[in-house]
Amino acid sequence: MLILLLPTVMVGIWEVVRHQFLMPYISMDLGNFLTPVLVFLFSIVLLVPLFTVMERNGRELEQERAQKTAMEARDTLAKELHDGMAQSLFLLSVRIERLEQSRKNGEISADNIDQIKKTVHEVNRYVREAISNLKVPVSGPEPFSLEQSVQEQLTHIAGEVSVDVLLDWKLPEDALNPAEQAELLACIREAMINVRKHTRAGKVAISGQGIAEQWRVAITDDGAGIRHEDPFAVSGSYGLRIMKERAEGMGWLLTVRSGNSGTLVEITKGGSSL
């Protein structure tokens, strides 16, 4: 406001003083010449410091904004570590204590060992997801769409597991809220890793279609399939079980169908028929 008002007030005062008191001493032409000179000098003396203050405030605001963004990123990472690795490690320590007690009593069971293996797998998954999220580059000031996020995640994972990926994504951005998007990306990432781990496929096709109330995401591969009637009951298939728990936690339906021609992992909301 000072930057806007000061030149106007100064010119008004100068014109009043010139016409009321200085007309006998200063001609009209000289007065007209002195007016822009005085405006320039007045700007140098008073307005330049104000512009300097405004620029400094702008820089401080940008710094505060950058610090806030960094703190939000740290809070998000801390939450992921707490909700994932910290709790799983605590659970792992409890189960190890129980296993040690069972060993002393001579009652070591396969279930205890299986639970510990599952917890270790969960910690490994949390670490992998956290690293993967941190390694996804930001390519510009515009926020990623869901399709771009899926594409970048798949490109990164495909390079690690040496699998060719075909993406056919028609699921609109507003069909899922941020929490649902994060869970869906985690499920797709886990399905991709399981493709290479369990089916040894060379090609994977991922499709997404539907609307907010009803959608379907399918991951298909050309591998040898999972040689078990119930893929979730396969020994060591902790990733599939955790993926199922994620889907059920969001109210989705996860189905896995596998055969000699390949494996289909399907995540649906609001029914499977679209």
Side-chain angles (χ1 to χ4, degrees):
M1 292 300 296
L2 288 175
I3 291 174
L4 293 174
L5 293 177
L6 283 178
T8 304
V9 173
M10 187 279 299
V11 172
I13 293 175
W14 161 250
E15 291 297 327
V16 171
V17 172
R18 181 165 72 100
H19 287 87
Q20 293 293 330
F21 305 104
L22 300 180
M23 287 299 294
Y25 312 101
I26 299 178
S27 65
M28 185 65 68
D29 292 337
L30 180 59
N32 293 336
F33 173 78
L34 290 176
T35 297
V37 174
L38 292 176
V39 171
F40 176 75
L41 294 176
F42 188 82
S43 300
I44 293 295
V45 174
L46 294 180
L47 297 187
V48 168
L50 291 178
F51 277 111
T52 302
V53 171
M54 186 175 67
E55 291 176 356
R56 184 175 66 250
N57 291 339
R59 288 193 299 268
E60 292 176 354
L61 182 62
E62 288 296 328
Q63 291 176 356
E64 292 178 0
R65 189 175 300 166
Q67 292 175 356
K68 181 179 179 181
T69 302
M71 289 302 299
E72 289 176 350
R74 290 185 178 185
D75 290 342
T76 301
L77 183 58
K79 183 178 182 299
E80 291 180 356
L81 292 174
H82 174 268
D83 293 344
M85 284 175 279
Q87 294 179 357
S88 297
L89 288 173
F90 174 75
L91 181 60
L92 180 62
S93 66
V94 172
R95 288 174 175 171
I96 289 176
E97 290 178 0
R98 290 181 179 177
L99 183 63
E100 179 66 21
Q101 186 64 34
S102 299
R103 185 188 66 81
K104 292 180 179 178
N105 299 332
E107 299 175 351
I108 296 179
S109 65
D111 291 339
N112 292 333
I113 298 176
D114 191 64
Q115 289 177 355
I116 291 177
K117 287 182 178 180
K118 180 180 179 181
T119 304
V120 171
H121 181 86
E122 288 178 348
V123 175
N124 177 62
R125 179 175 60 85
Y126 286 129
V127 173
R128 188 172 63 237
E129 289 180 2
I131 294 174
S132 177
N133 291 336
L134 291 174
K135 290 175 69 175
V136 173
V138 179
S139 57
E142 296 297 327
F144 274 168
S145 66
L146 178 59
E147 182 179 1
Q148 288 175 312
S149 299
V150 172
Q151 182 66 59
E152 294 234 355
Q153 292 280 356
L154 295 183
T155 301
H156 176 69
I157 297 171
E160 288 185 345
V161 300
S162 301
V163 175
D164 295 331
V165 179
L166 176 62
L167 180 63
D168 180 20
W169 198 265
K170 296 182 177 64
L171 190 60
E173 177 73 16
D174 56 358
L176 295 91
N177 59 42
E180 290 177 327
Q181 292 182 20
E183 292 297 320
L184 181 59
L185 283 173
C187 290
I188 294 175
R189 185 164 52 243
E190 187 65 41
M192 281 284 296
I193 294 173
N194 286 332
V195 163
R196 192 57 177 172
K197 182 178 179 181
H198 295 291
T199 68
R200 302 296 179 181
K203 295 182 180 180
V204 179
I206 298 177
S207 63
Q209 56 183 325
I211 57 177
E213 294 77 14
Q214 185 181 26
W215 51 260
R216 172 181 179 269
V217 173
I219 304 99
T220 57
D221 64 66
D222 61 351
I226 302 175
R227 308 262 181 210
H228 201 283
E229 293 182 1
D230 184 6
F232 299 102
V234 177
S235 177
S237 62
Y238 305 117
L240 288 175
R241 298 175 194 170
I242 294 171
M243 186 164 55
K244 185 177 181 180
E245 293 173 0
R246 280 179 175 271
E248 291 176 349
M250 300 302 296
W252 305 335
L253 176 64
L254 174 68
T255 56
V256 178
R257 294 189 290 272
S258 187
N260 295 330
S261 59
T263 301
L264 166 65
V265 177
E266 187 179 59
I267 306 171
T268 57
K269 176 182 178 181
S272 59
S273 59
L274 291 175

